[in-house]
Coordinates of all heavy atoms in Angstrom, one line a residue:
Q1 N -1.4 7.8 11.1 CA -0.8 6.8 12.0 C -0.9 5.4 11.4 O 0.1 4.6 11.4 CB -1.4 6.9 13.4 CG -1.1 8.2 14.1 CD -1.8 8.3 15.4 OE1 -2.6 7.4 15.8 NE2 -1.7 9.5 16.0
H2 N -2.1 5.0 10.9 CA -2.3 3.7 10.4 C -1.4 3.5 9.1 O -0.8 2.5 9.0 CB -3.7 3.5 10.0 CG -4.6 3.3 11.1 ND1 -4.6 2.2 11.9 CD2 -5.7 4.0 11.5 CE1 -5.5 2.3 12.9 NE2 -6.2 3.4 12.7
A3 N -1.3 4.5 8.3 CA -0.5 4.5 7.1 C 1.0 4.3 7.5 O 1.8 3.5 6.9 CB -0.7 5.7 6.2
A4 N 1.5 5.1 8.4 CA 2.9 5.1 8.9 C 3.3 3.7 9.4 O 4.4 3.3 9.1 CB 3.1 6.2 9.9
K5 N 2.4 3.1 10.1 CA 2.7 1.7 10.7 C 3.0 0.8 9.5 O 3.7 -0.2 9.7 CB 1.5 1.2 11.5 CG 1.3 1.9 12.8 CD 0.1 1.3 13.5 CE -0.2 2.0 14.8 NZ -1.4 1.5 15.4
R6 N 2.4 1.0 8.4 CA 2.6 0.1 7.2 C 3.6 0.7 6.2 O 3.7 0.1 5.2 CB 1.2 -0.1 6.6 CG 0.3 -0.9 7.4 CD -1.2 -0.7 7.1 NE -2.1 -1.4 8.0 CZ -2.5 -1.0 9.1 NH1 -2.0 0.1 9.6 NH2 -3.3 -1.8 9.9
G7 N 4.2 1.8 6.6 CA 5.2 2.4 5.7 C 4.5 2.9 4.4 O 5.2 2.8 3.3
M8 N 3.3 3.4 4.5 CA 2.6 3.9 3.3 C 2.2 5.3 3.4 O 2.2 5.9 4.5 CB 1.3 3.1 3.1 CG 1.4 1.6 3.1 SD -0.1 0.7 3.3 CE -0.8 1.0 1.7
S9 N 1.9 5.9 2.3 CA 1.3 7.3 2.3 C -0.2 7.1 2.7 O -0.8 6.1 2.6 CB 1.4 7.9 0.9 OG 0.6 7.3 0.0
V10 N -0.7 8.2 3.1 CA -2.2 8.2 3.5 C -3.0 7.9 2.2 O -3.9 7.1 2.3 CB -2.6 9.6 4.0 CG1 -4.1 9.7 4.2 CG2 -1.9 9.9 5.4
Q11 N -2.6 8.4 1.1 CA -3.3 8.1 -0.1 C -3.3 6.6 -0.4 O -4.3 6.0 -0.7 CB -2.7 8.9 -1.3 CG -3.4 8.5 -2.6 CD -2.8 9.3 -3.8 OE1 -2.3 10.4 -3.6 NE2 -2.8 8.7 -5.0
D12 N -2.1 6.0 -0.4 CA -2.0 4.6 -0.7 C -2.8 3.7 0.4 O -3.5 2.8 0.0 CB -0.6 4.1 -0.6 CG 0.2 4.6 -1.9 OD1 -0.4 5.0 -2.9 OD2 1.4 4.6 -1.8
Y13 N -2.7 4.1 1.6 CA -3.5 3.4 2.7 C -5.0 3.5 2.4 O -5.6 2.5 2.5 CB -3.1 4.0 4.1 CG -3.9 3.4 5.2 CD1 -3.6 2.1 5.7 CD2 -5.0 4.1 5.7 CE1 -4.4 1.6 6.7 CE2 -5.8 3.5 6.7 CZ -5.4 2.2 7.2 OH -6.2 1.6 8.2
V14 N -5.5 4.6 2.1 CA -6.9 4.8 1.9 C -7.3 4.0 0.6 O -8.4 3.3 0.7 CB -7.3 6.3 1.7 CG1 -8.8 6.4 1.2 CG2 -7.1 7.0 3.1
V15 N -6.6 4.1 -0.4 CA -6.9 3.3 -1.7 C -6.9 1.8 -1.4 O -7.8 1.1 -1.8 CB -5.9 3.7 -2.8 CG1 -6.1 2.7 -4.0 CG2 -6.2 5.1 -3.3
R16 N -5.9 1.3 -0.7 CA -5.8 -0.1 -0.4 C -7.0 -0.5 0.5 O -7.5 -1.6 0.3 CB -4.5 -0.5 0.2 CG -3.4 -0.5 -0.7 CD -2.1 -1.0 -0.1 NE -1.0 -1.0 -1.0 CZ -0.4 -2.1 -1.4 NH1 -0.8 -3.3 -1.0 NH2 0.6 -2.0 -2.3
T17 N -7.4 0.3 1.4 CA -8.5 0.0 2.3 C -9.8 -0.1 1.5 O -10.6 -1.0 1.7 CB -8.6 1.1 3.4 OG1 -7.4 1.1 4.2 CG2 -9.8 0.8 4.3
L18 N -10.0 0.8 0.6 CA -11.2 0.8 -0.3 C -11.2 -0.5 -1.2 O -12.2 -1.1 -1.3 CB -11.3 2.0 -1.1 CG -11.5 3.3 -0.3 CD1 -11.4 4.5 -1.2 CD2 -12.9 3.3 0.3
I19 N -10.0 -0.8 -1.7 CA -9.9 -2.0 -2.6 C -10.2 -3.2 -1.8 O -11.0 -4.1 -2.2 CB -8.5 -2.1 -3.2 CG1 -8.3 -1.0 -4.3 CG2 -8.3 -3.5 -3.8 CD1 -6.9 -0.9 -4.8
R20 N -9.7 -3.3 -0.6 CA -9.9 -4.5 0.3 C -11.4 -4.6 0.6 O -12.0 -5.7 0.6 CB -9.1 -4.4 1.6 CG -9.2 -5.7 2.5 CD -8.4 -5.6 3.7 NE -8.7 -4.5 4.5 CZ -8.0 -3.5 4.9 NH1 -6.7 -3.4 4.5 NH2 -8.4 -2.5 5.7
E21 N -12.0 -3.5 1.0 CA -13.5 -3.5 1.3 C -14.3 -3.9 0.1 O -15.2 -4.7 0.3 CB -13.9 -2.1 1.8 CG -15.3 -2.0 2.2 CD -15.7 -2.7 3.5 OE1 -14.8 -3.0 4.3 OE2 -16.9 -3.1 3.6
D22 N -13.9 -3.4 -1.0 CA -14.7 -3.8 -2.3 C -14.5 -5.3 -2.5 O -15.5 -6.0 -2.8 CB -14.1 -3.0 -3.5 CG -14.9 -3.4 -4.7 OD1 -16.1 -3.2 -4.8 OD2 -14.2 -3.8 -5.7
F23 N -13.3 -5.9 -2.3 CA -13.1 -7.3 -2.5 C -13.9 -8.1 -1.5 O -14.6 -9.1 -1.9 CB -11.6 -7.7 -2.4 CG -11.4 -9.2 -2.3 CD1 -11.4 -9.9 -3.5 CD2 -11.3 -9.8 -1.1 CE1 -11.2 -11.2 -3.5 CE2 -11.1 -11.2 -1.1 CZ -11.1 -11.9 -2.3
D24 N -13.9 -7.7 -0.2 CA -14.7 -8.4 0.8 C -16.2 -8.4 0.5 O -16.8 -9.4 0.6 CB -14.5 -7.7 2.2 CG -13.1 -7.9 2.7 OD1 -12.3 -8.7 2.2 OD2 -12.7 -7.2 3.7
E25 N -16.7 -7.3 0.0 CA -18.1 -7.3 -0.4 C -18.4 -8.2 -1.5 O -19.4 -8.9 -1.5 CB -18.5 -5.8 -0.7 CG -18.7 -4.9 0.4 CD -19.1 -3.5 0.0 OE1 -19.6 -3.3 -1.1 OE2 -18.9 -2.6 0.9
R26 N -17.6 -8.2 -2.6 CA -17.8 -9.0 -3.7 C -17.6 -10.5 -3.4 O -18.4 -11.3 -3.8 CB -16.8 -8.7 -4.9 CG -17.2 -7.3 -5.5 CD -16.3 -7.0 -6.7 NE -14.9 -6.7 -6.2 CZ -13.8 -7.3 -6.7 NH1 -13.9 -8.1 -7.7 NH2 -12.7 -6.9 -6.2
F27 N -16.7 -10.8 -2.5 CA -16.5 -12.2 -2.1 C -17.7 -12.7 -1.3 O -18.2 -13.8 -1.5 CB -15.2 -12.3 -1.2 CG -14.9 -13.7 -0.8 CD1 -14.4 -14.6 -1.7 CD2 -15.0 -14.1 0.5 CE1 -14.1 -15.9 -1.3 CE2 -14.7 -15.4 0.9 CZ -14.2 -16.3 0.0
Q28 N -18.1 -11.8 -0.3 CA -19.3 -12.2 0.5 C -20.5 -12.4 -0.4 O -21.3 -13.3 -0.2 CB -19.6 -11.2 1.6 CG -20.7 -11.6 2.5 CD -20.4 -12.9 3.2 OE1 -19.4 -13.1 3.8 NE2 -21.3 -13.9 3.2
S29 N -20.7 -11.6 -1.4 CA -21.8 -11.7 -2.3 C -21.8 -13.0 -3.1 O -22.8 -13.7 -3.3 CB -21.8 -10.5 -3.3 OG -22.8 -10.6 -4.2
S30 N -20.6 -13.4 -3.5 CA -20.4 -14.7 -4.2 C -20.7 -15.8 -3.3 O -21.3 -16.8 -3.7 CB -19.1 -14.8 -4.9 OG -18.0 -14.9 -3.9
L31 N -20.3 -15.7 -2.0 CA -20.6 -16.8 -1.1 C -22.1 -16.9 -0.9 O -22.7 -18.0 -0.8 CB -19.9 -16.6 0.3 CG -18.4 -16.8 0.3 CD1 -17.9 -16.4 1.7 CD2 -18.1 -18.2 -0.1
D32 N -22.8 -15.8 -0.8 CA -24.3 -15.8 -0.6 C -25.0 -16.4 -1.8 O -25.9 -17.2 -1.7 CB -24.8 -14.3 -0.4 CG -24.3 -13.7 0.9 OD1 -23.8 -14.5 1.8 OD2 -24.4 -12.5 1.0
E33 N -24.5 -16.0 -3.0 CA -25.1 -16.6 -4.2 C -24.8 -18.1 -4.3 O -25.7 -18.9 -4.7 CB -24.5 -16.0 -5.5 CG -25.0 -14.5 -5.6 CD -26.5 -14.4 -5.8 OE1 -27.1 -15.2 -6.5 OE2 -27.0 -13.5 -5.1
T34 N -23.6 -18.6 -3.9 CA -23.3 -20.0 -3.8 C -24.2 -20.7 -2.9 O -24.7 -21.8 -3.1 CB -21.9 -20.2 -3.5 OG1 -21.1 -19.5 -4.4 CG2 -21.5 -21.7 -3.5
E35 N -24.5 -20.1 -1.7 CA -25.4 -20.7 -0.7 C -26.8 -20.9 -1.2 O -27.4 -21.9 -0.9 CB -25.4 -19.9 0.6 CG -24.6 -20.5 1.7 CD -24.8 -19.7 3.0 OE1 -25.8 -19.2 3.3 OE2 -23.7 -19.6 3.6
K36 N -27.2 -19.9 -2.1 CA -28.5 -20.0 -2.7 C -28.7 -21.3 -3.5 O -29.7 -21.8 -3.7 CB -28.9 -18.8 -3.5 CG -29.1 -17.6 -2.6 CD -29.4 -16.4 -3.5 CE -29.6 -15.1 -2.7 NZ -29.8 -13.9 -3.6
L37 N -27.5 -21.7 -4.1 CA -27.5 -22.9 -4.9 C -27.5 -24.2 -4.1 O -27.5 -25.3 -4.6 CB -26.3 -22.9 -5.9 CG -26.3 -21.8 -6.9 CD1 -25.0 -21.7 -7.6 CD2 -27.4 -21.9 -7.8
G38 N -27.4 -24.0 -2.7 CA -27.4 -25.2 -1.8 C -26.0 -25.7 -1.5 O -25.8 -26.7 -0.9
V39 N -25.0 -25.0 -1.9 CA -23.6 -25.4 -1.5 C -23.2 -24.6 -0.3 O -23.3 -23.4 -0.2 CB -22.6 -25.0 -2.7 CG1 -21.2 -25.4 -2.3 CG2 -23.1 -25.7 -4.0
R40 N -22.6 -25.3 0.7 CA -22.2 -24.7 1.9 C -20.7 -24.9 2.0 O -20.1 -25.9 1.6 CB -22.8 -25.4 3.1 CG -24.3 -25.4 3.1 CD -24.8 -24.4 4.2 NE -26.2 -24.5 4.2 CZ -27.0 -23.5 4.2 NH1 -26.5 -22.3 4.1 NH2 -28.3 -23.5 4.2
W41 N -20.0 -23.9 2.6 CA -18.5 -23.9 2.7 C -18.2 -24.0 4.2 O -18.9 -23.4 5.0 CB -17.9 -22.6 2.2 CG -18.1 -22.5 0.7 CD1 -19.1 -21.7 0.1 CD2 -17.5 -23.2 -0.4 NE1 -19.1 -21.9 -1.2 CE2 -18.1 -22.8 -1.6 CE3 -16.5 -24.1 -0.4 CZ2 -17.7 -23.3 -2.8 CZ3 -16.1 -24.6 -1.6 CH2 -16.7 -24.2 -2.8
P42 N -17.2 -24.8 4.6 CA -16.4 -25.6 3.7 C -17.1 -26.9 3.3 O -17.9 -27.4 4.1 CB -15.1 -25.9 4.6 CG -15.6 -25.9 6.0 CD -16.7 -24.8 6.0
V43 N -16.8 -27.4 2.1 CA -17.4 -28.6 1.7 C -16.7 -29.7 2.3 O -15.5 -29.8 2.3 CB -17.3 -28.7 0.1 CG1 -17.9 -30.0 -0.4 CG2 -18.0 -27.5 -0.6
T44 N -17.5 -30.6 3.0 CA -16.9 -31.7 3.7 C -17.3 -33.1 3.1 O -18.3 -33.2 2.4 CB -17.3 -31.8 5.2 OG1 -18.8 -31.7 5.3 CG2 -16.7 -30.6 5.9

């Protein structure tokens, strides 16, 4: 159902979901590492 809403196959939907989750984890990790350096986002 989720794949059909996006006009995708189940395989493509699952792969894209996994890729997005992996990106989110890597992005959050980089934000955490940046915070350890004393930089906060957004920079004002």
